[in-house]
Amino acid sequence: MNIKNILIAGDYESYFKNYLTELKHYNLNFKLIDNISRDDLKWADVYVGFEPSQLLQPSDVNWVHTFNAGINNYLTLEGWEESNALLTRTISDFGQKMSEYCLSYILADLQNHKQLEAQQKEKIWDKQAPQALKDQTVTIFGTGQTGQTIAKIYSALGMIVYGISNSGLNKPYFQKVEKLEKSKGLIQSSNYIISTLPFTDKTKNLFNQSLFDTLNQAYFINVGRGQVVDLEALKLALDNDNVRHAILDVFEIEPLPTNSDLWHRKDVTITPHISALTDIDEAVTCFYQTLKRIENNESLQNQVDFERGY
């Protein structure tokens, strides 16, 4: 791949300072996304940024790298197959971050935080023993790098960890991995369900009424993509006690509209897509490491597979 001119969409020059010496053989152009012109895109061999310029076409460049882990905003561009342009995404410690996010809510649930807060307000001294992590079963939808990191941490804490994936192939740190169509027994036995799934044609509304009906008063946590959950089906599952509480960090429309009735439900916890925020320093490092691997003709772990959608 011929790489000489690199267009970075955004005022990120200060974040590249640690790599400017290594990148001295390249021409770097840092430009606010709204100021990017067709001439800039014709000049560039590489486009880098959190989101595509409205003028960007895959045929403009040889390689696009997104600072995000998700790539849905780039997949809306037409012409990827015709251009043969490379698309890569940022991979970082998202699994570590998501595992801590989810664990904070799991522990709060097991340690009866809400009940204890209510008792304090009423000056009630009533002991109820917390439940132990080692007695809990969690099923993680998505057994890729993120899911495996979560499974590694939770299994080390003594939890029984199951996985659901397209292939159903066993992966490290999971006691068992199944395809969705064979997973009814795993799901029914789970205390906690965590979705790390990306948004693809196969995962859209995967959490529908049929799937939620399988749950047995489970705690549901979504840190993947909002589009994988049918919210109306989730509300019904909450009403029917198939789901006893939902932690939702991602939504199809963000920010979540103020007129959504989810804001008012006591059995729903809403967070503003913060379970695994992309750190710009990590994103720049990932870009640089990807560039070096391309230079050395090495395989890329973060190359997007357009057929799979991630």
Side-chain angles (χ1 to χ4, degrees), residues 223-291:
V223 290
R225 286 292 180 264
Q227 293 93 331
V228 307
V229 179
D230 180 337
L231 289 180
E232 293 304 316
L234 173 59
K235 294 174 192 175
L236 183 60
L238 287 163
D239 292 338
N240 294 338
D241 282 339
N242 295 103
V243 176
R244 59 190 175 86
H245 197 92
I247 307 292
L248 305 177
D249 185 53
V250 287
F251 301 87
E252 183 171 2
I253 299 174
E254 295 182 357
L256 181 66
T258 55
N259 62 353
S260 171
D261 56 353
L262 291 174
W263 289 106
H264 307 291
R265 295 194 66 125
K266 292 183 179 180
D267 50 9
V268 173
T269 299
I270 294 169
T271 60
H273 205 151
I274 48 82
S275 61
L277 291 174
T278 301
D279 182 283
I280 184 62
D281 290 311
E282 294 176 333
V284 171
T285 297
C286 182
F287 163 72
Y288 175 72
Q289 291 173 342
T290 305
L291 175 60

Side-chain angles (χ1 to χ4, degrees), residues 50-100:
F50 281 104
E51 59 183 299
S53 161
Q54 292 184 350
L55 301 176
L56 177 65
Q57 299 173 8
S59 58
D60 291 329
V61 294
N62 297 323
W63 170 31
V64 174
H65 179 80
T66 173
F67 283 149
N68 292 311
I71 42 81
N72 295 101
N73 56 346
Y74 281 93
L75 289 183
T76 59
L77 300 176
E78 297 182 357
W80 283 109
E81 292 183 3
E82 295 82 356
S83 70
N84 291 319
L86 173 69
L87 176 60
T88 58
R89 63 188 183 90
T90 295
I91 55 176
S92 182
D93 62 344
F94 299 119
Q96 178 73 32
K97 293 175 180 178
M98 287 182 177
S99 70
E100 294 176 6

Side-chain angles (χ1 to χ4, degrees), residues 30-264:
F30 297 88
K31 202 160 188 180
L32 296 178
I33 191 167
D34 291 337
N35 296 335
I36 291 174
S37 66
R38 285 296 308 160
D39 287 339
D40 294 322
L41 294 168
K42 290 179 180 179
W43 168 86
D45 301 311
V46 183
Y47 180 95
V48 184
F50 281 104
E51 59 183 299
S53 161
Q54 292 184 350
L55 301 176
L56 177 65
Q57 299 173 8
S59 58
D60 291 329
V61 294
N62 297 323
W63 170 31
V64 174
H65 179 80
T66 173
F67 283 149
N68 292 311
I71 42 81
N72 295 101
N73 56 346
Y74 281 93
L75 289 183
T76 59
L77 300 176
E78 297 182 357
W80 283 109
E81 292 183 3
E82 295 82 356
S83 70
N84 291 319
L86 173 69
L87 176 60
T88 58
R89 63 188 183 90
T90 295
I91 55 176
S92 182
D93 62 344
F94 299 119
Q96 178 73 32
K97 293 175 180 178
M98 287 182 177
S99 70
E100 294 176 6
Y101 170 94
C102 296
L103 186 59
S104 71
Y105 289 101
I106 292 173
L107 285 173
D109 179 47
L110 296 176
Q111 297 287 330
N112 305 316
H113 284 192
K114 286 190 175 180
Q115 178 183 332
L116 293 172
E117 288 175 4
Q119 288 181 189
Q120 181 175 344
K121 290 180 181 179
E122 300 298 325
K123 301 178 182 178
I124 296 174
W125 187 277
D126 183 19
K127 294 182 181 180
Q128 182 172 335
Q131 299 178 65
L133 281 170
K134 66 179 180 63
D135 297 326
Q136 307 305 311
T137 299
V138 58
T139 294
I140 301 171
F141 280 70
T143 61
Q145 186 176 25
T146 296
Q148 286 183 52
T149 299
I150 297 173
K152 178 180 180 180
I153 293 169
Y154 289 5
S155 60
L157 291 170
M159 300 181 77
I160 296 173
V161 184
Y162 297 135
I164 308 295
S165 71
N166 280 332
S167 67
L169 296 176
N170 289 330
K171 294 287 186 69
Y173 312 113
F174 292 94
Q175 184 162 325
K176 181 184 288 187
V177 177
E178 294 278 16
K179 291 184 177 181
L180 178 60
E181 56 267 27
K182 296 182 179 180
S183 65
K184 184 175 181 179
L186 301 187
I187 295 172
Q188 286 181 329
S189 67
S190 296
N191 308 105
Y192 299 91
I193 302 289
I194 298 174
S195 174
T196 68
L197 294 172
F199 172 48
T200 68
D201 290 340
K202 291 183 178 180
T203 63
K204 182 175 175 60
N205 286 338
L206 183 144
F207 286 92
N208 53 26
Q209 183 174 346
S210 176
L211 179 52
F212 281 127
D213 283 347
T214 309
L215 274 58
N216 183 22
Q217 293 187 319
Y219 215 80
F220 175 68
I221 306 176
N222 187 16
V223 290
R225 286 292 180 264
Q227 293 93 331
V228 307
V229 179
D230 180 337
L231 289 180
E232 293 304 316
L234 173 59
K235 294 174 192 175
L236 183 60
L238 287 163
D239 292 338
N240 294 338
D241 282 339
N242 295 103
V243 176
R244 59 190 175 86
H245 197 92
I247 307 292
L248 305 177
D249 185 53
V250 287
F251 301 87
E252 183 171 2
I253 299 174
E254 295 182 357
L256 181 66
T258 55
N259 62 353
S260 171
D261 56 353
L262 291 174
W263 289 106
H264 307 291

Side-chain angles (χ1 to χ4, degrees), residues 11 18 21 35 190 197 227 230 247 276 293 297 301 306:
D11 186 18
N18 292 334
T21 300
N35 296 335
S190 296
L197 294 172
Q227 293 93 331
D230 180 337
I247 307 292
R293 296 187 72 87
N297 293 315
Q301 294 181 323
F306 291 103

